[in-house]
Amino acid sequence: MPDLRALDRPEDLKRRLEAERTGLPFVHFRDAAGQQQIVTLDRTRPALTVGRDHGCDICLSWDERVSRLHARLESGGGSWTVYDGGLSRNGTYVNGDRVTGHRVLRDRDELVIGGTPLWFRDPALKRGSSTVVASDRLAGLTVTPAQRRVLIALCRPYKEHPAFARPATNQQIADELVLSIDSVKTHLRALFARLELDDLPQNEKRVRLVEHAFQRGLVRDSDL
């Protein structure tokens, strides 16, 4: 199953970053038309139903592998869980493991319900009390001219907002800027470190770097 987070448009990345900045947990997924959907998880509503039925809080009506009532997202004890105690025919999976009963969710967990992937995000679990401090510190982020050229090349595939796009590869960046692969990697490593992205998987680091580039105005549509 492809990682649909790597197929984002700039506005998709921007909306997720804005959702993160609220500090509230949320799930995001793509609907039948390939449009990103974001559902905020509010603890004043401690249980949300997920299924194919139009009465579900998160309705995946287009996916025939989803049961009418497939699973529930539940809040309790400061955590969110996914519950599938035999509710569904095809099962609910978190990071590839089938859920039996309740499963506590952690930031960036991937849920697969039927044939639809959803991603759980909880910014508070990721950075705890340092979230505001880190955000403030990075708000005035500046980069060198060479790093900015690399960022623009990285974001080039997002020109004209194609329905699906992936960040440029190291080879594509090197070819555009007439640099060595090692030079491109050096610039990207510096950017990953400044934005505290080092601990993420490689593909996700690149997508997150594109997010920050657009969100912080380091790259604009006119640059592409």
Side-chain angles (χ1 to χ4, degrees):
M1 180 178 299
D3 186 348
L4 297 181
R5 291 169 296 183
L7 306 177
D8 290 312
R9 294 167 292 188
E11 56 264 37
D12 294 332
L13 307 177
K14 180 179 179 181
R15 286 186 61 215
R16 288 209 302 276
L17 194 56
E18 289 172 346
E20 286 181 32
R21 286 179 170 173
T22 69
L24 297 173
F26 62 92
V27 293
H28 66 92
F29 58 95
R30 291 193 178 278
D31 62 20
Q35 298 299 309
Q36 176 177 254
Q37 301 297 324
I38 294 177
V39 178
T40 301
L41 304 179
D42 185 346
R43 288 191 170 90
T44 62
R45 186 171 56 165
L48 287 83
T49 54
V50 186
R52 192 157 42 89
D53 191 278
H54 288 281
C56 289
D57 298 301
I58 300 177
C59 178
L60 310 177
S61 59
W62 64 88
D63 188 340
E64 294 181 353
R65 295 178 60 189
V66 173
S67 299
R68 292 186 62 189
L69 175 58
H70 196 105
R72 291 199 303 269
L73 297 175
E74 300 180 355
S75 173
S79 297
W80 280 89
T81 64
V82 59
Y83 172 76
D84 184 343
L87 293 176
S88 69
R89 175 177 297 179
N90 291 313
T92 299
Y93 293 81
V94 175
N95 301 329
D97 298 326
R98 185 160 185 164
V99 174
T100 56
H102 286 87
R103 168 76 175 259
V104 175
L105 296 173
R106 303 184 185 281
D107 185 51
R108 300 183 187 278
D109 276 349
E110 180 189 36
L111 295 83
V112 176
I113 293 180
T116 302
L118 304 87
W119 287 274
F120 172 77
R121 295 302 318 278
D122 191 339
L125 290 179
K126 179 183 177 185
R127 296 190 179 180
S129 61
S130 67
T131 300
V132 173
V133 174
S135 179
D136 288 346
R137 180 168 57 80
L138 294 173
L141 180 73
T142 59
V143 297
T144 68
Q147 289 171 344
R148 186 168 183 271
R149 287 193 292 271
V150 169
L151 277 175
I152 291 171
L154 179 75
C155 298
R156 187 78 65 193
Y158 295 85
K159 184 177 182 179
E160 297 179 356
H161 299 192
F164 299 105
R166 297 175 185 271
T169 66
N170 289 345
Q171 185 65 61
Q172 289 170 328
I173 296 171
D175 291 344
E176 176 178 336
L177 302 179
V178 194
L179 294 173
S180 68
I181 294 289
D182 286 341
S183 293
V184 172
K185 289 180 178 179
T186 297
H187 288 308
L188 289 175
R189 279 196 297 267
L191 290 163
F192 292 148
R194 293 193 66 189
L195 288 161
E196 301 178 353
L197 304 176
D198 285 325
D199 294 335
L200 298 179
Q202 185 63 31
N203 286 341
E204 187 170 353
K205 280 197 290 191
R206 300 173 77 87
V207 171
R208 294 284 290 169
L209 186 53
V210 171
E211 285 184 22
H212 284 289
F214 282 110
Q215 180 65 22
R216 299 177 188 283
L218 299 172
V219 176
R220 297 179 173 83
D221 289 347
S222 58
D223 296 321
L224 306 181

